[in-house]
Amino acid sequence: MNMKSIYTIILLVGALAVGYLLGRRSEQHVSADNHQQMQQGNAKPAVEPVAAVVPHWGLGQADKKADELPANAEAGKMPFTSSELAEMRFGFLRDVSVHYAGFIAGGGLAKDKAGLLLELLVDQRMIGIEASMQTSGGAARFGTKEEIAAAYEKNESLLADLLGADGVSALKRFDRASQQDEVSSKAIAAIEGVAPMAEGVRAAFSQGIQSFDPSGGAAAYIAPGIPITAAQEQAMRNEQQRKVDEILTKSSLDAAQQAAFRKWSEDEFNRSLQFVKQIIDANIKAKKP
């Protein structure tokens, strides 16, 4: 990415940040052409963003900002103040601005379209606690699976209006490649924390885990909205262990390095599973009279 592209994105983020400071909040999306950029609250990122969960997301993205939900994270309840919501949105804005800078520059998006894209990507990450707000102008609260699904569909429609079918496909390819790179980087960092890897071994291992999902597909259990049984959990663990064994069989890692990868993958799976259980439990509690 050249310096001009970097400078343009810095200016763009700065302009969006000013919108947060001026108290503008996005309340209605009619189409990508008349999407109004209005944010409410101050921009000081004193609170780290709490990840919003959308049923289709891989947890590698969905839970990377929080290991657990707040104690009052129950569907149908207002979990945060308007100031905290603004801080979370601004935190996500910083994240997506950095993460998608290459995509924006490579796609040659005009400044106004790039700004709308960043806003939609922030909306996407806030769907779990803004579903009713994004679809009907209601209050921010933890949404039901139906509200989340409706908000996600609306977000996808707005992205299609903005980028076109080819642009959406390119965005999804970018997301997949980014997530694969992130998984690879984290796994390698965990392994090399125990024992360094030779350059050739590192490259081959990185290639060998390109399709590995450390969450074990736990996010798929959010949509049904019922507790994960012991049998289901054990089946997930067994399948995850099978995939880990397959990766290690094809690798050139020594015993210490293999043990480090096993521990990392188990820790990641447990963290993701716990996150999903908390989401399901919060939604079940909210439905009780």
Side-chain angles (χ1 to χ4, degrees), residues 148-192:
I148 289 173
Y152 168 66
E153 289 178 6
K154 184 170 185 178
N155 184 275
E156 289 286 283
S157 177
L158 290 168
L159 282 172
D161 288 344
L162 178 65
L163 300 175
D166 291 343
V168 170
S169 295
L171 181 65
K172 292 185 184 300
R173 288 195 299 272
F174 180 88
D175 280 338
R176 284 195 297 270
S178 297
Q179 187 167 1
Q180 289 169 351
D181 288 344
E182 183 177 355
V183 168
S184 175
S185 296
K186 287 182 176 180
I188 289 173
I191 292 169
E192 294 198 317

Side-chain angles (χ1 to χ4, degrees), residues 4-287:
K4 182 178 180 181
S5 297
I6 295 173
Y7 181 65
T8 299
I9 293 169
I10 290 173
L11 289 178
L12 177 60
V13 176
L16 289 172
V18 169
Y20 282 74
L21 287 166
L22 291 177
R24 289 155 51 205
R25 173 71 182 93
S26 176
E27 295 181 347
Q28 182 178 11
H29 302 290
V30 178
S31 71
D33 292 331
N34 62 3
H35 179 84
Q36 300 297 314
Q37 297 179 36
M38 296 180 288
Q39 302 297 351
Q40 179 179 1
N42 66 71
K44 184 180 178 182
V47 177
E48 280 298 305
V50 175
V53 175
V54 181
H56 75 288
W57 283 4
L59 286 179
Q61 294 298 321
D63 68 351
K64 68 179 182 179
K65 284 296 176 186
D67 290 330
E68 59 182 26
L69 290 171
N72 62 340
E74 296 183 16
K77 294 187 178 181
M78 178 67 167
F80 304 106
T81 66
S82 59
S83 178
E84 288 171 336
L85 286 172
E87 289 166 0
M88 281 188 277
R89 289 191 65 90
F90 187 75
F92 277 127
L93 174 62
R94 287 179 302 163
D95 291 347
V96 299
S97 298
V98 173
H99 183 75
Y100 291 94
F103 176 82
I104 291 172
L109 289 178
K111 183 178 178 181
D112 59 340
K113 286 192 172 184
L116 291 177
L117 174 61
L118 293 178
E119 284 291 298
L120 288 172
L121 292 170
V122 171
D123 283 350
Q124 189 179 69
R125 284 150 179 76
M126 293 290 288
I127 281 176
I129 53 178
E130 285 190 349
S132 64
M133 178 184 290
Q134 293 180 18
T135 55
S136 60
R141 55 180 171 74
F142 280 89
T144 65
K145 64 180 181 180
E146 292 81 11
E147 289 172 331
I148 289 173
Y152 168 66
E153 289 178 6
K154 184 170 185 178
N155 184 275
E156 289 286 283
S157 177
L158 290 168
L159 282 172
D161 288 344
L162 178 65
L163 300 175
D166 291 343
V168 170
S169 295
L171 181 65
K172 292 185 184 300
R173 288 195 299 272
F174 180 88
D175 280 338
R176 284 195 297 270
S178 297
Q179 187 167 1
Q180 289 169 351
D181 288 344
E182 183 177 355
V183 168
S184 175
S185 296
K186 287 182 176 180
I188 289 173
I191 292 169
E192 294 198 317
V194 173
M197 303 169 71
E199 184 174 346
V201 173
R202 186 188 303 110
F205 179 79
S206 178
Q207 184 64 33
I209 63 170
Q210 284 299 298
S211 61
F212 180 65
D213 176 8
S215 77
Y221 287 85
I222 294 175
I226 56 177
I228 298 173
T229 67
Q232 289 172 325
E233 180 175 333
Q234 189 59 53
M236 280 194 289
R237 290 187 182 279
N238 291 343
E239 177 61 14
Q240 193 74 343
Q241 185 61 55
R242 185 192 67 77
K243 291 178 179 178
V244 168
D245 289 341
E246 183 179 353
I247 290 171
L248 292 178
T249 298
K250 297 177 180 178
S251 76
S252 300
L253 302 182
D254 62 30
Q257 292 169 334
Q258 289 190 26
F261 177 64
R262 287 185 186 280
K263 183 179 186 307
W264 172 82
S265 61
E266 184 177 358
D267 288 346
E268 288 293 302
F269 175 79
N270 287 336
R271 186 165 66 93
S272 298
L273 183 63
Q274 180 64 22
F275 187 76
V276 167
K277 286 181 177 180
Q278 288 172 327
I279 291 288
I280 294 172
D281 185 57
N283 285 330
I284 291 174
K285 286 180 180 178
K287 293 177 181 178

